[in-house]
Amino acid sequence: ILNVEQSPQSLHVQEGDSTNFTCSFPSSNFYALHWYRWETAKSPKALFVMTLNGDEKKKGRISATLNTKEGYSYLYIKGSQPEDSATYLCAVREGSSNTGKLIFGQGTTLQVKP
Amino acid sequence: NAGVMQNPRHLVRRRGQEARLRCSPMKGHSHVYWYRQLPEEGLKFMVYLQKENIIDESGMPKERFSAEFPKEGPSILRIQQVVRGDSAAYFCASSPPNQGEGETQYFGPGTRLL
């Protein structure tokens, strides 16, 4: 059974701090990794999808890397702002198809203090 | 393009009643996924449907739960004879066909079932 682990579970930082969190997954049978941002009372919103070892994606102050050989992905936030406060979810798809279920981690909840 | 719509947003049922949760995917999307978030847990896959077909129901409880995605109209997740343990947030996600390797699932706001 695929198990996706995220750490830390929660994080409190000051405005302006840069931060990063980790998503770990079994490297066998990997197909794609997704990062989502989930604000309270809203829908999870897609940030990145990555499939290739060494992939790096960036959107504004947020970036992500992927290592499929060792089974981890990092999400980085540079110069955190209060509006970055949210839960960040990592999800993995196995197999060989570009469709199908996502296996989610428990999430990392980020709180940025002004 | 309106996002994924779910209704109702909140649903209260007595033990033994039926719950029907509706999901209207984004325009042009033919793939629908249902996920459940139990209290203090992460998002867990339930079922993956395409129009008129169940593709993967490996996450569905064996009894009382069913799902459909008819040719016309929304996808329905049906829970018969609800019990206390069914209390959760139920999320629907949709994706278009032929996205290529980076298939993104777009989430609705969820239905909170009590």
Side-chain angles (χ1 to χ4, degrees):
Chain A
I1 297 176
L2 174 59
N3 198 29
V4 178
E5 302 279 349
Q6 290 189 247
S7 63
Q9 188 174 349
S10 63
L11 198 53
H12 295 255
V13 302
Q14 289 293 136
E15 182 176 354
D17 288 350
S18 292
T19 186
N20 67 85
F21 12 99
T22 307
C23 174
S24 303
F25 54 89
S27 55
S28 60
N29 207 27
F30 170 87
Y31 185 83
L33 184 137
H34 298 241
W35 280 102
Y36 282 85
R37 172 192 156 84
W38 194 2
E39 293 179 76
T40 303
K42 295 187 178 179
S43 317
K45 292 287 190 289
L47 287 173
F48 305 114
V49 181
M50 295 182 288
T51 57
L52 299 176
N53 184 46
D55 258 354
E56 292 188 27
K57 294 282 178 82
K58 186 175 181 184
K59 187 181 292 187
R61 294 179 292 100
I62 304 177
S63 60
T65 61
L66 177 65
N67 183 322
T68 60
K69 294 187 187 306
E70 296 181 38
Y72 64 84
S73 174
Y74 292 139
L75 188 77
Y76 301 91
I77 302 179
K78 184 177 177 182
S80 303
Q81 299 297 309
E83 57 266 29
D84 295 329
S85 298
T87 296
Y88 291 83
L89 299 175
C90 165
V92 170
R93 175 177 292 121
E94 292 185 299
S96 57
S97 171
N98 68 332
T99 61
K101 66 185 177 186
L102 294 177
I103 307 298
F104 281 87
Q106 293 282 85
T108 293
T109 299
L110 174 68
Q111 188 72 36
V112 182
K113 297 177 184 177
Chain B
N1 192 355
V4 177
M5 311 282 281
Q6 289 188 249
N7 68 81
R9 294 291 305 276
H10 300 273
L11 184 60
V12 179
R13 283 289 176 266
R14 294 185 184 278
R15 187 176 60 190
Q17 290 184 319
E18 179 180 285
R20 291 170 70 89
L21 287 60
R22 294 175 189 78
C23 169
S24 296
M26 290 176 71
K27 187 176 180 180
H29 287 199
S30 57
H31 300 184
V32 166
Y33 301 83
W34 286 93
Y35 293 86
R36 176 166 68 170
Q37 185 186 30
L38 292 167
E40 308 301 323
E41 294 189 15
L43 286 170
K44 295 283 195 298
F45 168 78
M46 298 182 76
V47 63
Y48 165 33
L49 310 106
Q50 294 179 16
K51 283 286 187 182
E52 300 184 280
N53 286 304
I54 296 174
I55 307 301
D56 179 357
E57 56 182 346
S58 59
M60 286 281 267
K62 298 295 181 206
E63 297 176 347
R64 302 186 297 107
F65 284 71
S66 62
E68 62 177 8
F69 187 19
K71 188 176 180 181
E72 302 290 337
S75 176
I76 306 286
L77 180 68
R78 184 179 176 211
I79 309 172
Q80 294 178 290
Q81 299 176 320
V82 298
V83 300
R84 185 184 297 272
D86 297 332
S87 294
Y90 292 83
F91 289 89
C92 170
S94 72
S95 66
N98 307 319
Q99 259 192 107
E101 64 179 19
E103 188 227 33
T104 295
Q105 295 181 12
Y106 298 84
F107 279 79
T111 294
R112 270 80 180 165
L113 173 64
L114 283 176

